[in-house]
Amino acid sequence: MDVFACAGCGTELTAPVSRVALPVHTHHGGWEELHPPLMEPATYAVDPRPTGPPWRLWEDVGEDAAARQGVYAPVHSVSFGARNRIVIAPGDSRSMALIPEKCGGHCQGVDGRDGPNLACEGCGRAVATRMDDCGMWQAVWLEPDAVVRRPSGLPAVPPPDGDDLARPEHRVPPFETDGWWSRRWEAALGVALAHLVAVTEDRPVVLPAGPVTELFGHAVGRCLPAGPDARSVGLAGPGIRTPRPRPDVLLVPRHPLTGEPWRPPGDEGAVVPLDSGVWAYLVHPGETSPMPATGVLPEGVLRDDYPLPPCPRYPLTPHRRAFEYTLVRLPAIRAPRLRRHREASR
């Protein structure tokens, strides 16, 4: 485990934390809603892409400079903020104080529009940005040039790996307890859909029967065209057998530590990475009822226990900004067949 300290005076700014993959829903929440912390306690993640201010308009940046920032299709503005910012849960922050004149936001919190808004209590240096406004996951972002990482001296925690995906606690249900679709699922679907559009070059697809079709089918049908020459899609990952023959595209989990997509050994075919908790649910949905039961109900029959399991009234819809944000950051967006998506991003 590590701690982060002020690069100026050495004051420790975090509790001991261990690194995990950056969540795919990091920059995508529900507008005008308060969100819980992005990160689990005692964890941190690093965003390798430029984030936050300063922002420059696409017209002023140009295609080549935008591509160097990781943006490959026209957008309103391009971030020229720092790369490799470190995100932690607010509860893991230590010895930092808000900078009052840099606490701009909308209506329910601060959003970091004015740059770092947290100062080290030891020397007053601006070291981090607290973000908790509506539509944002609560987080503290440490500036990479303002902090240094040190060993905490505590015993190392076993890093997460592929075996963790089979644990029941790793699965993320697609809906909240109040019956609404999970914001994490909406963002994960938007990100996955962008990758699916890119690897298929906007061609029709055939999804595997079961949870993938039931949960993703509506969104995929609205985004990708119908017709012949469809690409086959299948689920694959640690602990389950890869379908044979191999589908054209595999839905695979991101590694919980590195964020890299899983691949079958020696396989170089097309894959679409999924949020590991979402993937785990699709592969192992588990018991959907809060009550134990004997026997097996016929397929499609719902239990009549009270309270009933949550059931949203409309199909799962991808987070639109997550879809667009991801797609314009994939070099494949430049392919001629993706022209309609490229123009839609303007």
Side-chain angles (χ1 to χ4, degrees):
M1 301 187 77
D2 304 309
V3 295
F4 289 89
C6 175
C9 68
T11 298
E12 291 191 354
L13 305 175
T14 73
V17 288
S18 57
R19 185 168 180 173
V20 296
L22 184 74
V24 300
H25 55 282
T26 294
H27 302 294
H28 316 300
W31 186 245
E32 293 190 346
E33 293 181 9
L34 293 177
H35 287 50
L38 172 69
M39 304 300 297
E40 294 293 326
T43 66
Y44 75 93
V46 178
D47 192 339
R49 290 175 171 164
T51 57
W55 296 88
R56 294 174 59 189
L57 295 177
W58 173 271
E59 291 78 6
D60 299 333
V61 172
E63 185 174 336
D64 292 340
R68 289 193 291 271
Q69 297 301 105
V71 181
Y72 301 97
V75 294
H76 178 265
S77 57
V78 179
S79 171
F80 279 77
R83 297 177 185 264
N84 299 314
R85 296 171 79 211
I86 303 108
V87 61
I88 62 172
D92 285 327
S93 63
R94 301 287 187 271
S95 302
M96 290 186 276
L98 281 169
I99 304 173
E101 62 271 21
K102 291 193 173 183
C103 289
H106 284 92
C107 57
Q108 299 180 25
V110 293
D111 61 11
R113 68 179 64 186
D114 302 314
N117 56 25
L118 288 173
C120 168
E121 291 184 341
C123 64
R125 178 177 182 167
V127 291
T129 305
R130 171 69 186 259
M131 301 178 74
D132 56 15
D133 205 350
C134 53
M136 296 179 173
W137 304 90
Q138 295 183 46
V140 168
W141 290 88
L142 304 172
E143 296 298 320
D145 295 335
V147 299
V148 293
R149 179 171 58 89
R150 298 173 178 170
S152 69
L154 295 177
V157 175
D161 58 28
D163 293 338
D164 292 328
L165 305 187
R167 297 178 180 175
E169 61 270 21
H170 193 81
R171 296 194 297 265
V172 176
F175 31 69
E176 306 291 354
T177 55
D178 60 3
W180 293 98
W181 289 112
S182 163
R183 294 304 186 196
R184 179 168 167 178
W185 268 71
E186 291 175 337
L189 175 55
V191 172
L193 196 55
H195 281 275
L196 187 61
V197 167
V199 300
T200 63
E201 292 192 331
D202 205 32
R203 290 181 170 87
V205 299
V206 177
L207 299 177
V212 175
T213 295
E214 294 167 4
L215 291 164
F216 289 1
H218 175 79
V220 170
R222 295 192 63 181
C223 181
L224 290 172
D229 194 28
R231 301 298 189 260
S232 58
V233 178
L235 270 175
I240 65 171
R241 181 177 299 177
T242 302
R244 290 288 182 266
R246 185 201 190 278
D248 297 309
V249 180
L250 294 178
L251 300 177
V252 300
R254 297 175 184 266
H255 193 282
L257 176 61
T258 67
E260 292 297 314
W262 179 90
R263 282 186 177 275
D267 186 291
E268 296 298 328
V271 298
V272 167
L274 283 175
D275 176 302
S276 61
V278 170
W279 178 91
Y281 182 91
L282 292 172
V283 175
H284 307 291
E287 173 61 56
T288 59
S289 170
M291 303 293 288
T294 59
V296 178
L297 287 172
E299 185 175 353
V301 176
L302 298 177
R303 295 181 59 97
D304 59 357
D305 302 320
Y306 184 82
L308 291 172
C311 185
R313 298 180 180 179
Y314 55 89
L316 177 61
T317 303
H319 191 293
R320 183 169 182 81
R321 186 171 183 274
F323 173 77
E324 295 172 348
Y325 179 96
T326 304
L327 191 56
V328 300
R329 285 165 176 77
L330 298 175
I333 187 66
R334 292 173 165 176
R337 288 187 61 93
L338 272 70
R339 181 174 180 177
R340 70 182 179 98
H341 292 285
R342 187 167 59 251
E343 292 177 346
S345 70
R346 291 179 181 271

